[in-house]
Amino acid sequence: MSHSLFKRIKELVTCSKFIKDGVFFFSFTENFNRNLYVFLLILSSVFFFLFQDARNLANFFYSHTLNWDSYVYYCGSNILIQGLDPYDHTILRECLPGSWNFFYNMPPPLLYIYYLPSKLSIENYILSITLINITLLIFTLKEFFKKFKVGSSFNKFVFIILSLTIWDGSAFIAFYTGNVGFTISLIYLYFLLNLNHSNQNKFLLFVFISTLIKPIYILYLGTIFFFNKSISESIKRSLATLMLIILAYVVQFIVIKDTTIGFFENLKNLSDSSDMGFGFLATIISIEGFLGIEITKRTNLIISMILSAGTFFLCLFYFRKYFKETSNYTYLLVPIIILICFPRIKVYDAVFALPSICYLPILINNMIEKKKFNMKKSKIFTTKIIMFFCIIYNVFIYSSWEAVHFFILPIIAILVIFQTRINEKA
């Protein structure tokens, strides 16, 4: 009975391109029957865990208020309109539903960006922010798929599955928060996908504005180093932008001194928070806890910044060694490098790298399918194992709120892309 059933499935394979592509995608052996068994096992497991993940996310959304960070921005700007101090913790709590224990720790420019929208009702305000984010998401993905063709229906299926499950739904949660970081992350990716040597001034203007909204986005300056042949030119452009940012903060301090002081005081509350997000900072703290040692927060911050800088220059060195010109690999690789260099990563800050990581298994499969890899069978097998691991890690790992998980996939992605380039050159 089972033999006849399998025979019918095998006949179906010859008629279904989707299944044929899927079997090839997971063809770890030269035996078709074994490959088909692996494919069916993985496919059934993916749907099972996708259902489980959807249930977990539903419970999360049920217990959290939609766009909770948007409430903070809304209240902050409303408090400013009333002539009060939005950085006053007590006043802010009176505005927030349920007297949430939140601080307004964003720079003053964001208060004025949300100044007019905050005059809307909270329902219309949240609807507007949500529609803006959905529109940006559509336009950004459209730009991404212009550069990176997904190809077969099975490849599209893989991309969608990874998008739905990546890092245990962090992309969904990033959207759900309503944090301005989600919006900026999408705009950054849109600018990056259209970036070249001739239009860097527009990109640098975006970096200037985004850094005034959130200082950590100064790290976006590292992007232009991958698009210029001359490092000195990148340094000059970065320093000029940095000086303008510093000048803008100085002017801000002079013009609205009390508000700016309130912002810096609230940053202390952020540093005292137990929520370190992900990235080097949280990983260092996790290692300290495992080893039973304790280092000051200032020392942790310094170590994380050194690791971020070291990671950036190491990736830049290998990039300049193997990528002599701007190519699609640049647009795929740079977001992942910039993500890793964030000392403190939050889910909304990581959105710009998610399409690259979701595309990674498809890239590997396409390279093998088009026979651009001049490799022995053993190397093809190893590469497919890496591809398989990227999928398994996304779909089946559910303790993904540990900091270290935000490094494993990006590091694998960088290694695979570099290895791809080396094999192409060979």
Side-chain angles (χ1 to χ4, degrees):
M1 182 70 178
S2 60
H3 178 72
S4 60
L5 178 61
F6 187 78
K7 187 177 179 180
R8 291 187 65 181
I9 294 175
K10 190 173 178 179
E11 290 173 354
L12 180 62
V13 168
T14 60
C15 303
S16 173
K17 189 176 185 304
F18 178 86
I19 299 179
K20 285 172 69 175
D21 290 338
V23 172
F24 176 81
F25 203 93
F26 296 107
S27 56
F28 297 103
T29 72
E30 295 182 358
N31 186 294
F32 177 84
N33 291 346
R34 291 176 185 173
N35 293 335
L36 181 57
Y37 274 128
V38 171
F39 167 70
L40 293 175
L41 177 63
I42 292 173
L43 192 65
S44 59
S45 300
V46 163
F47 279 113
F48 173 77
F49 282 98
L50 188 62
F51 171 78
Q52 183 178 349
D53 199 29
R55 187 180 61 181
N56 293 338
L57 285 171
N59 290 333
F60 175 87
F61 295 150
Y62 180 77
S63 60
H64 290 76
T65 302
L66 174 64
N67 284 26
W68 63 80
D69 281 339
S70 291
Y71 276 90
V72 178
Y73 308 145
Y74 180 84
C75 284
S77 294
N78 263 291
I79 291 169
L80 184 70
I81 291 172
Q82 298 170 33
L84 302 174
D85 182 12
Y87 294 99
D88 187 309
H89 176 54
T90 304
I91 296 175
L92 183 69
R93 285 192 66 176
E94 290 175 356
C95 174
L96 293 171
S99 297
W100 294 342
N101 189 28
F102 284 178
F103 290 85
Y104 195 98
N105 49 34
M106 303 296 285
L110 195 67
L111 292 167
Y112 297 96
I113 290 174
Y114 283 94
Y115 193 88
L116 290 177
S118 65
K119 293 184 178 181
L120 300 170
S121 66
I122 185 62
E123 293 80 13
N124 289 332
Y125 172 87
I126 289 177
L127 177 62
S128 300
I129 300 301
T130 303
L131 289 176
I132 288 172
N133 284 334
I134 291 173
T135 303
L136 283 171
L137 186 61
I138 292 171
F139 275 98
T140 305
L141 287 177
K142 184 179 177 181
E143 288 298 312
F144 183 83
F145 292 132
K146 278 184 183 178
K147 289 192 180 296
F148 304 102
K149 304 300 180 184
V150 180
S152 69
S153 58
F154 185 79
N155 283 350
K156 292 174 184 176
F157 170 76
V158 170
F159 191 91
I160 291 171
I161 289 297
L162 295 183
S163 301
L164 292 174
T165 59
I166 192 163
W167 291 333
D168 196 20
S170 65
F172 283 107
I173 295 169
F175 174 80
Y176 199 77
T177 63
N179 192 286
V180 70
F182 183 88
T183 307
I184 293 175
S185 192
L186 288 175
I187 297 174
Y188 165 73
L189 181 57
Y190 183 87
F191 271 102
L192 184 144
L193 290 170
N194 291 280
L195 185 61
N196 54 55
H197 185 268
S198 63
N199 66 358
Q200 288 186 15
N201 287 338
K202 291 181 181 179
F203 176 79
L204 292 174
L205 176 61
F206 159 73
V207 175
F208 171 79
I209 295 172
S210 62
T211 305
L212 294 182
I213 295 174
K214 197 172 183 180
I216 190 66
Y217 296 138
I218 190 68
L219 292 175
Y220 288 157
L221 279 177
T223 305
I224 64 172
F225 283 79
F226 298 90
F227 288 85
N228 291 324
K229 292 182 179 180
S230 170
I231 290 182
S232 61
E233 181 184 358
S234 299
I235 292 174
K236 288 177 183 177
R237 287 173 178 253
S238 297
L239 287 176
T241 307
L242 181 60
M243 292 302 295
L244 287 174
I245 291 169
I246 294 172
L247 179 61
Y249 270 98
V250 171
V251 171
Q252 174 184 282
F253 181 79
I254 295 171
V255 175
I256 45 174
K257 184 177 180 180
D258 292 340
T259 307
T260 306
I261 291 174
F263 161 62
F264 285 115
E265 287 178 347
N266 275 8
L267 278 184
K268 296 178 184 178
N269 296 319
L270 182 62
S271 64
D272 292 335
S273 171
S274 59
D275 181 12
M276 288 292 100
F278 313 98
F280 283 117
L281 192 58
T283 303
I284 292 168
I285 294 172
S286 298
I287 293 172
E288 289 173 13
F290 178 76
L291 297 176
I293 59 177
E294 187 174 349
I295 304 176
T296 63
K297 291 183 178 179
R298 183 179 178 182
T299 303
N300 284 334
L301 181 60
I302 292 172
I303 294 172
S304 67
M305 292 175 68
I306 292 173
L307 289 172
S308 294
T311 300
F312 175 79
F313 287 111
L314 181 64
C315 290
L316 182 62
F317 169 78
Y318 278 102
F319 181 90
R320 295 182 70 84
K321 182 177 180 181
Y322 295 112
F323 294 76
K324 301 301 182 184
E325 70 286 329
T326 301
S327 67
N328 278 6
Y329 288 118
T330 308
Y331 298 99
L332 196 69
L333 181 65
V334 170
I336 301 171
I337 294 174
I338 298 299
L339 172 68
I340 296 176
C341 292
F342 271 64
R344 179 180 183 267
I345 304 170
K346 297 292 289 183
V347 287
Y348 34 78
D349 293 324
V351 168
F352 64 84
L354 299 190
S356 293
I357 294 173
C358 290
Y359 190 78
L360 177 63
I362 297 170
L363 168 70
I364 300 171
N365 184 63
N366 287 345
M367 293 315 244
I368 295 173
E369 189 175 21
K370 294 176 182 177
K371 299 182 179 178
K372 286 187 177 181
F373 276 159
N374 185 20
M375 297 188 300
K376 297 178 180 178
K377 289 182 179 179
S378 58
K379 286 190 176 181
I380 292 178
F381 178 78
T382 303
T383 306
K384 285 222 166 191
I385 288 295
I386 295 173
M387 176 192 72
F388 178 74
F389 178 78
C390 292
I391 295 173
I392 291 298
Y393 199 88
N394 268 326
V395 177
F396 300 115
I397 300 297
Y398 281 88
S399 59
S400 54
W401 294 110
E402 298 295 330
V404 69
H405 293 292
F406 270 69
F407 286 103
I408 293 177
L409 275 177
I411 289 172
I412 290 174
I414 290 175
L415 292 175
V416 168
I417 294 172
F418 277 141
Q419 185 63 33
T420 301
R421 189 64 168 179
I422 293 168
N423 279 291
E424 283 188 337
K425 292 289 185 181

